[in-house]
């Protein structure tokens, strides 16, 4: 969907190109950002500070912020409320030891661990939920799943 929109609109494609360089792995996030959230600004020719957006994307790509923090920062950017302090605040918020939280949850819940070992992938969401609760939503769910896979092997 996003690829089609980008291929049909030169201005949106140019915005995508300005944002995506040097951010391997964020292609779909940037495409959705441009085609869904930035599209009204670009179509109305409202000035868009691509440098601020690149700073937010850089923090996401370096895993300094979670996907939830990314969404919050993008919302503040779109409302015209973004500033470097918000980014620094999000980036420097306490570094969470997701692995320690996950290991503790696995020790306390051997049943779902066995279910995952038996091939029931849906049991992973049990642990994602625990980690998200314990970290107050600051952990990245995808990181939790990856760590879970590593710890169960």
């Amino acid at each position: 969907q996003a690829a089609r929109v980008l291929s049909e609109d030169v201005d949106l494609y140019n915005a995508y190109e300005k944002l995506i360089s040097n951010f391997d792995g964020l292609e779909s996030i940037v495409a959705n950002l441009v085609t869904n959230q930035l599209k009204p600004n670009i179509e109305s020719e409202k000035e868009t500070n691509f440098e601020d957006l690149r700073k937010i994307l850089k923090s996401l790509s370096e895993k300094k912020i979670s996907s939830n923090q990314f969404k919050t920062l993008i919302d503040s950017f779109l409302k015209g409320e973004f500033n470097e302090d918000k980014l620094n605040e999000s980036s420097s918020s306490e570094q969470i030891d997701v692995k320690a939280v996950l290991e503790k949850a696995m020790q306390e819940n051997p049943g779902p661990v066995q279910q995952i070992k038996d091939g029931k992938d849906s049991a992973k969401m049990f642990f994602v939920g625990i980690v998200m609760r314990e970290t107050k939503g600051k952990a990245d769910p995808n990181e939790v799943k990856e760590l879970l896979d590593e710890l169960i092997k």
Side-chain angles (χ1 to χ4, degrees), residues 17-82:
E17 285 295 313
K18 284 180 186 177
L19 292 172
I20 195 60
S21 61
N22 300 322
F23 295 122
D24 291 338
L26 296 182
E27 292 84 358
S28 63
I29 291 171
V30 173
N32 287 324
L33 174 65
V34 170
T35 59
N36 296 319
Q37 294 164 297
L38 294 178
K39 186 177 180 180
N41 290 9
I42 293 167
E43 288 177 344
S44 68
E45 298 181 11
K46 181 178 177 185
E47 188 174 325
T48 303
N49 186 335
F50 288 101
E51 192 57 38
D52 282 347
L53 285 171
R54 286 185 57 76
K55 289 175 186 174
I56 297 170
L57 286 165
K58 183 177 185 213
S59 290
L60 180 66
S61 73
E62 293 174 352
K63 297 187 181 207
K64 291 181 179 177
I65 60 173
S66 69
S67 55
N68 289 337
Q69 290 170 313
F70 173 75
K71 290 174 187 172
T72 301
L73 289 167
I74 292 299
D75 287 343
S76 70
F77 174 86
L78 293 171
K79 292 176 185 172
E81 300 169 356
F82 175 80

Side-chain angles (χ1 to χ4, degrees), residues 100-149:
V101 173
L102 183 56
E103 286 174 336
K104 180 178 181 227
M106 291 171 67
Q107 288 174 350
E108 293 173 354
N109 299 282
V113 170
Q114 188 58 50
Q115 290 176 341
I116 295 168
K117 287 180 179 178
D118 293 341
K120 189 173 180 184
D121 277 355
S122 60
K124 290 178 183 179
M125 293 312 292
F126 173 78
F127 290 109
V128 171
I130 290 174
V131 172
M132 295 304 286
R133 182 186 68 219
E134 294 297 318
T135 62
K136 296 178 177 69
K138 292 181 181 176
D140 182 339
N142 292 324
E143 180 185 352
V144 175
K145 289 180 199 173
E146 289 173 13
L147 271 171
L148 190 56
D149 287 340

